[in-house]
Amino acid sequence: MRPPPPVPSEEPVTDRMGVGVGSVRLRNPVLAASGTAGHGAELGAYVDLASLGGVVVKSLSAGPWPGNPAPRLHGAGSAMVNAVGLQGPGVAAWVEHDLPKLRRAGATVIASIWGRTADEYGAAAAALAGVPGITALEVNLSCPNLEGGRHLFAHDPAATAAALEAAAAAAGLPLWAKLSPNTDRLVEVAGVARDGGAEAVVLANTVLGMVLDTELGRPVLGNGGGGLSGPAIHAVAVRAVWDVHAAHPGLPIVGVGGVRDAVSAVELLQAGASAVQVGTATLVDPRATAKVLAGLDRWLADHRTCAAALVGRAHG
């Protein structure tokens, strides 16, 4: 039986913001999301990176990757559709040029990796093994699997297991599996990710979408379709977190999708997330992570509770 929801206390909260995600202890539950915070300390011009729970860098492959043809981003109502295509310098260049800047900024660094085969995930993880200054690896499984007919890894339990086992064998770091909401097997895949070595799951990546140029009668993005992100998918993210927490209550979750203020962060925590990531909001306002962090701290103080006490509270 689950414990009852926490009752606000008149006693002061000594550690209002500290949370744990598996074996990783974070100073607070607000992180900058992969893909919107850059590869290095770019956000440091606007936000004290040391004040955040962590910075999840843009996903890295073992070697450099050019990404998709332009245009890559386009507005879609209250959301954004993108098909950047995981452009990146590769692990070696990142370790040499970007990681030192993040370390000097005092950031808690979570490196994100991707691949097109299980072996490529293993190679990216192996290249980061033993590198100082990395707290955890986020394994981005929302990538086409060249060994499996180009279906996304996160849509296939067997492919998910293979990628995570390859990364786990090489990394020597806590693994967080970033999953896709574009499947009715999400709960099953989350359990497989846990069994394959993930200490936590990140829910969820973008929702498949497309925008058309009606004058030209063709997609506006160079790659055709892309991933929808921002406030329009927040309810999807809350449902993903809710369903996985209900099915796997002992599996830590990092919630991501449409977080833009304290209330949207609290929703994900109450649905079952131990921490949240701020992504698309950063592209609108590069200070968004700091604003969410400050707003969440005020919300917790006003409600005389702490972040850890909110996790899964809505499940009763």
Side-chain angles (χ1 to χ4, degrees):
M1 179 180 295
R2 296 180 184 276
V7 177
S9 169
E10 297 299 326
E11 297 298 321
V13 175
T14 56
D15 185 11
R16 187 161 55 227
M17 296 290 275
V19 295
V21 179
S23 65
V24 176
R25 182 71 182 173
L26 301 175
R27 61 175 59 90
N28 63 67
V30 179
L31 298 87
S34 177
T36 58
H39 284 107
E42 293 92 329
L43 276 184
Y46 307 95
V47 176
D48 176 10
L49 299 182
S51 71
L52 301 178
V55 175
V56 188
V57 303
K58 196 173 185 306
S59 295
L60 299 158
S61 53
W65 187 252
N68 286 329
R72 296 173 167 187
L73 306 175
H74 195 81
S78 63
M80 176 188 77
V81 64
N82 87 85
V84 174
L86 298 165
Q87 177 184 348
V91 170
W94 177 79
V95 169
E96 180 180 358
H97 299 293
D98 293 310
L99 179 58
K101 297 173 186 176
L102 285 163
R103 296 188 69 188
R104 286 195 294 272
T108 296
V109 179
I110 293 90
S112 176
I113 61 171
W114 72 278
R116 297 164 298 168
T117 66
D119 285 345
E120 288 188 3
Y121 279 98
L128 290 167
V131 175
I134 302 173
T135 298
L137 287 187
E138 183 180 273
V139 183
N140 182 358
L141 294 166
S142 300
C143 306
N145 176 10
L146 296 191
E147 297 170 315
R150 298 191 65 83
H151 298 299
L152 300 190
F153 278 85
H155 292 182
D156 182 342
T160 292
L164 279 168
E165 287 166 5
L173 287 163
L175 299 183
W176 299 354
K178 188 170 187 178
L179 304 182
S180 166
N182 302 293
T183 174
D184 61 359
R185 306 181 76 179
L186 175 61
V187 168
E188 178 188 359
V189 171
V192 168
R194 175 200 57 205
D195 296 342
E199 285 194 9
V201 292
V202 181
L203 304 174
N205 213 320
T206 55
V207 176
L208 293 175
M210 179 180 283
V211 176
L212 297 181
D213 182 326
T214 53
E215 295 299 318
L216 298 177
R218 64 189 187 201
V220 299
L221 298 184
N223 194 54
L228 191 73
S229 64
I233 72 161
H234 180 66
V236 175
V238 172
R239 179 61 184 267
V241 171
W242 175 280
D243 286 349
V244 171
H245 182 76
H248 308 293
L251 177 61
I253 297 170
V254 179
V256 57
V259 177
R260 60 198 182 278
D261 53 25
V263 171
S264 51
V266 167
E267 269 192 284
L268 285 171
L269 295 173
Q270 291 183 341
S274 297
V276 302
Q277 295 178 7
V278 181
T280 300
T282 297
L283 301 180
V284 177
D285 179 357
R287 297 176 176 82
T289 47
K291 291 179 178 179
V292 171
L293 178 61
L296 179 60
D297 191 38
R298 287 193 298 270
W299 193 98
L300 294 171
D302 290 345
H303 290 77
R304 299 190 184 93
T305 190
C306 61
L310 293 184
V311 178
R313 180 178 181 176
H315 292 260

